[in-house]
Amino acid sequence: MDVDLRKVRYFVAVAEELHFGRAAERLHIAQPVLSRQIRALEDELKVQLFVRSKRATELTSAGQQLLEDARPVLASAEAMRRRTVQAARAERIFTIAFMPGITVTPLVRELASAQPELTVELLRTTWDDQVEVLHDGRADVSIVRLPIDQQGLTVRPLFDEPRVAMLPADHRLAGKPVIRIADLADDHLLQDPDAVPEWRDVAVELREGRGRPAPHYRSIEEKLEHVAAGHGISVIPLSTATFYTRPDVVAVPVEDLGPNRVALAWPSSRRSRTLPAVAALAENLAWA
């Protein structure tokens, strides 16, 4: 039996709203039409998905299971649509994603010179979505900061760059020309300790069992706000620190801190005549 994805999309709207009227408004369809589509889906699946009363609409156990399964299916279908559309437009529009601190202007200029008929679009990413934009079709290539999950991707190294410690301006080490990671052993790190194993291995708070859950920041600006406020320190690539300078935060070199590695990534299944040219241009540029 083939399940109509449109009906599944309607079901998810009702399941998330738990109100047929609000779901109909969200979908821009009439409520009676929505009710008929849900009944048709229940008939197809031969299960009851909702329990409706005058006061509330609730999911049955079958409905809860369908909601759990439906979300990734719809996301996959949307990604497929984006990749298909992208493949059709790739010969005239090419999207390059990039992480904060990385300047892609030289690559864009070289590509525009080599293929003047091509429109190059840019997409700024974060640690959270630098790979996701490739899988869901928003970008053709992504200039990523490693490590990443490389499954399904082709990854070409571009360059390494130093990482620095971002400290509040009144920090005891803020005036030092260079420090060692052990100098930060008493500080709190505002990121996942696994991202900075050198600090993790010497951190006093971890050794004493006082470690706190790693906070989730949506942007580098948000992270630096917390550094400036004295909530802790952060370790970021030098180019990012240079790009986001501010008077209340100081970047200090750490001599025994490993570099950040930058690479070009794209889906291994992607077929485009532009991709090899972009990869060659990126690998030949003097990034650092």
Side-chain angles (χ1 to χ4, degrees):
M1 177 189 65
D2 295 326
V3 178
D4 186 344
L5 285 182
R6 182 187 56 172
K7 293 191 183 77
V8 174
R9 192 172 292 109
Y10 288 173
F11 160 77
V12 169
V14 178
E16 291 178 344
E17 298 289 345
L18 289 178
H19 191 283
F20 275 75
R22 289 195 298 268
E25 291 178 4
R26 170 174 154 183
L27 295 166
H28 305 292
I29 62 174
Q31 183 174 337
V33 174
L34 177 58
S35 297
R36 287 197 298 270
Q37 292 295 317
I38 296 300
R39 284 197 299 271
L41 180 60
E42 289 177 323
D43 290 342
E44 290 175 11
L45 297 176
K46 296 180 174 56
V47 296
Q48 183 177 358
L49 299 172
F50 296 99
V51 176
R52 301 176 66 179
S53 67
K54 292 182 179 180
R55 291 187 175 183
T57 297
E58 298 180 351
L59 283 166
T60 64
S61 58
Q64 292 172 347
Q65 182 64 55
L66 180 58
L67 179 61
E68 181 178 332
D69 293 337
R71 283 172 170 152
V73 168
L74 292 177
S76 178
E78 174 61 17
M80 178 183 66
R81 183 195 67 80
R82 283 180 178 171
R83 288 193 296 267
T84 301
V85 171
Q86 190 178 39
R89 65 198 280 270
E91 303 309 320
R92 52 189 178 82
I93 300 176
F94 194 87
T95 301
I96 301 173
F98 63 98
M99 284 285 283
I102 299 175
T103 301
V104 296
T105 306
L107 176 59
V108 173
R109 286 179 173 171
E110 289 285 346
L111 183 56
S113 176
Q115 301 189 37
E117 74 286 353
L118 192 68
T119 298
V120 181
E121 295 183 348
L122 299 174
L123 177 65
R124 181 184 181 275
T125 59
T126 68
W127 284 104
D128 292 335
D129 65 359
Q130 61 173 338
V131 169
E132 180 182 314
V133 298
L134 297 173
H135 292 309
D136 67 16
R138 280 179 285 166
D140 294 280
V141 297
S142 185
I143 300 176
V144 299
R145 294 192 182 277
L146 302 178
I148 60 171
D149 181 357
Q150 300 189 21
Q151 184 174 358
L153 300 177
T154 298
V155 179
R156 299 275 180 84
L158 294 179
F159 63 93
D160 291 354
E161 66 167 311
R163 292 186 294 167
V164 296
M166 304 302 290
L167 314 176
D170 59 356
H171 192 279
R172 68 187 186 283
L173 300 173
K176 298 287 186 180
V178 64
I179 61 175
R180 295 183 63 82
I181 197 66
D183 297 329
L184 300 171
D186 291 322
D187 289 275
H188 174 60
L189 187 70
L190 295 172
Q191 60 205 95
D192 186 344
D194 289 342
V196 192
E198 299 93 339
W199 177 87
R200 179 197 61 203
D201 293 342
V202 300
V204 172
E205 67 175 40
L206 297 182
R207 190 164 60 245
E208 295 180 351
R210 296 185 286 107
R212 288 171 267 174
H216 179 77
Y217 299 122
R218 291 165 293 183
S219 67
I220 184 64
E221 295 91 342
E222 190 174 316
K223 181 182 291 185
L224 293 180
E225 285 290 338
H226 284 272
V227 172
H231 297 161
I233 65 167
S234 183
V235 172
I236 65 175
L238 176 61
S239 62
T240 307
T242 303
F243 193 84
Y244 291 94
T245 56
R246 47 187 293 171
D248 50 2
V249 175
V250 176
V252 179
V254 185
E255 63 180 8
D256 53 345
L257 195 60
N260 173 242
R261 293 179 174 174
V262 178
L264 185 73
W266 65 89
S268 300
S269 61
R270 187 72 202 284
R271 298 293 178 265
S272 167
R273 288 183 294 178
T274 306
L275 262 175
V278 172
L281 289 172
E283 289 178 308
N284 290 328
L285 279 177
W287 291 90

